[in-house]
């Protein structure tokens, strides 16, 4: 227990989970943390952030790793965060981090509820992990609902573009798609050339020589177009039969929407997402019923 509660050194940590959240949210968290430190007469000496990174595991969170390293060197006395779930959404990792900080004489505070205790950390990290599981469950439920309504559950297959509809009450009804003729012609060409004996590497090489843009679309960064890779690859054309990937094995080109082919788990040792094939009886197929209306590419 520290005897002098004034002039304590503070490290701030901010994190938000996905690129869909406001990129300024980490900065907002740090500003609120600075205000909290000032109110207590403390001095902020370090700031750490992890932007657009899930809190499921510590892996890949450079800001948190740096915070842990500096904690062991005794660089600060208090860590201030918005809430316990900013430290993570994994009970074992958050509680282990808290115990490590406590061992080094470092307190954890949230600017919403003050100093954290062992019990509060255990409870709140459990709640955070449960919320993450609930989010995953709701996401899958929403994707399944879209498939059963014969809509896209997310993502974009080459040859198709988004075709949102307006409902009677003026709301945007997403998930609808329509065929893009220019890209559909390339899809037909790939099937035709493969049928007469051309290999995927030959097809890819010819498309690249002709300058036909590949399936990966340019990414948007604000108003600036950042070109992505537009080259055709063998894997793009051939894919994997059991996984339904690649142009030649994508069942959408045969008129079927397929859902639940794979489940994705994060490896707790690496933090990387790993795909696992689901049993055939768990896979759902439904008539795609995609609009034949044309579109322009670009």
């Amino acid at each position: 227990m520290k005897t002098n509660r004034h002039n304590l050194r503070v490290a701030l940590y901010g994190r938000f989970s996905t690129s869909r959240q406001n990129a300024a949210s980490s900065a907002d968290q740090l500003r609120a943390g600075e205000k909290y430190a000032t109110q207590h007469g403390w001095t902020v000496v370090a700031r750490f952030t992890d932007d657009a990174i899930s809190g499921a595991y510590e892996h890949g969170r450079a800001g948190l790793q740096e915070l842990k390293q500096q904690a062991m060197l005794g660089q600060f006395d208090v860590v201030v965060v918005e809430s316990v779930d900013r430290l993570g959404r994994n009970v074992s990792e958050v509680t282990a981090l808290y115990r490590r900080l406590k061992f080094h004489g470092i307190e954890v505070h949230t600017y919403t509820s003050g100093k954290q205790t062992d019990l509060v950390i255990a409870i709140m990290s459990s709640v955070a992990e449960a919320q993450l599981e609930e989010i995953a469950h709701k996401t899958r439920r929403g994707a399944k609902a879209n498939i059963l309504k014969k809509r896209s559950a997310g993502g974009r297959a080459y040859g198709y573009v988004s075709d949102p509809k307006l409902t009677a009450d003026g709301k945007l009804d997403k998930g609808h798609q329509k065929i893009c003729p220019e890209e559909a012609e390339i899809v037909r060409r790939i099937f035709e050339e493969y049928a007469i004996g051309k290999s995927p590497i030959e097809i890819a090489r010819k498309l690249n020589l002709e300058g036909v843009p590949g399936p990966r679309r340019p990414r948007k960064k604000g108003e600036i177009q950042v070109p992505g890779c537009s080259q055709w690859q063998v894997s793009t054309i051939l894919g994997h039969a059991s996984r339904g990937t690649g142009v030649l094995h994508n069942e959408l080109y045969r008129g079927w929407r397929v859902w639940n082919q794979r489940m994705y788990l994060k490896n707790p040792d690496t933090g990387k997402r790993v795909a696992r094939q689901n049993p055939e009886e768990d896979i759902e197929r439904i008539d795609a019923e995609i609009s034949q209306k044309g579109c322009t590419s670009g």
Side-chain angles (χ1 to χ4, degrees):
M1 192 76 173
K2 296 177 175 63
T3 56
N4 184 3
R5 300 302 301 172
H6 298 288
N7 298 323
L8 294 182
R9 299 165 301 165
V10 174
L12 306 177
Y13 178 73
R15 179 185 67 80
F16 66 93
S17 299
T18 73
S19 57
R20 294 180 182 179
Q21 289 179 280
N22 182 355
S25 60
S26 284
D28 291 340
Q29 292 170 37
L30 296 190
R31 279 192 290 272
E34 287 182 7
K35 182 178 179 180
Y36 179 86
T38 300
Q39 290 171 343
H40 286 75
W42 301 339
T43 303
V44 175
V45 297
R47 298 169 178 80
F48 307 95
T49 59
D50 285 307
D51 294 345
I53 299 178
S54 169
Y57 292 102
E58 291 184 0
H59 302 285
R61 294 165 62 187
L64 185 64
Q65 298 305 323
E66 180 64 20
L67 182 151
K68 289 166 63 176
Q69 290 177 11
Q70 292 199 27
M72 288 187 291
L73 295 174
Q75 297 298 305
F76 41 81
D77 309 302
V78 180
V79 171
V80 176
V81 292
E82 178 186 43
S83 55
V84 172
D85 62 8
R86 295 305 87 198
L87 291 174
R89 291 182 177 271
N90 180 292
V91 176
S92 59
E93 288 188 349
V94 173
T95 53
L97 172 62
Y98 174 77
R99 288 167 185 161
R100 186 177 293 112
L101 293 172
K102 185 178 178 180
F103 175 79
H104 290 284
I106 300 170
E107 298 176 357
V108 174
H109 286 241
T110 69
Y111 53 77
T112 54
S113 58
K115 183 180 176 181
Q116 303 299 289
T117 64
D118 297 65
L119 179 60
V120 172
I121 288 288
I123 293 173
M124 297 310 296
S125 59
S126 297
V127 170
E129 185 170 307
Q131 287 175 336
L132 189 64
E133 293 176 357
E134 181 63 18
I135 290 170
H137 173 71
K138 288 181 177 179
T139 300
R140 287 180 58 80
R141 186 174 64 193
K144 183 175 181 178
N146 275 335
I147 289 295
L148 294 177
K149 292 177 182 177
K150 302 184 179 182
R151 302 175 186 173
S152 170
R156 176 190 181 280
Y158 184 78
Y160 301 89
V161 293
S162 176
D163 186 30
K165 311 289 186 183
L166 277 177
T167 62
D169 56 359
K171 295 181 179 179
L172 202 60
D173 184 16
K174 299 181 180 180
H176 299 281
Q177 290 182 321
K178 62 183 177 182
I179 293 173
C180 183
E182 295 86 349
E183 293 182 357
E185 182 59 36
I186 299 299
V187 173
R188 284 191 288 268
R189 172 180 164 180
I190 289 172
F191 275 95
E192 289 168 358
E193 293 186 356
Y194 186 72
I196 63 175
K198 288 189 178 181
S199 69
I201 192 170
E202 289 178 301
I203 298 171
R205 184 182 294 121
K206 189 173 182 182
L207 289 171
N208 289 330
L209 286 174
E210 294 176 9
V212 177
R216 188 173 298 178
R217 318 314 299 165
R219 295 167 295 168
K220 289 185 177 181
K221 188 176 181 181
E223 297 299 321
I224 302 174
Q225 290 286 331
V226 182
C229 175
S230 62
Q231 292 288 302
W232 287 88
Q233 309 291 337
V234 173
S235 59
T236 309
I237 294 172
L238 186 59
H240 196 288
S242 65
R243 297 175 184 171
T245 58
V247 172
L248 295 173
H249 293 116
N250 189 338
E251 293 190 49
L252 186 58
Y253 299 133
R254 296 177 173 85
W256 295 99
R257 285 202 185 280
V258 182
W259 182 77
N260 205 35
Q261 281 186 300
R262 292 176 295 280
M263 64 183 297
Y264 294 89
L265 301 171
K266 279 196 175 181
N267 185 328
D269 294 324
T270 64
K272 293 183 178 179
R273 198 171 73 149
V274 178
R276 299 274 176 83
Q277 192 73 9
N278 282 330
E280 182 63 29
E281 59 267 23
D282 292 340
I283 298 174
E284 299 193 37
R285 291 176 174 82
I286 191 166
D287 186 357
E289 290 190 7
I290 296 175
S291 171
Q292 300 290 318
K293 293 187 298 180
C295 72
T296 56
S297 60

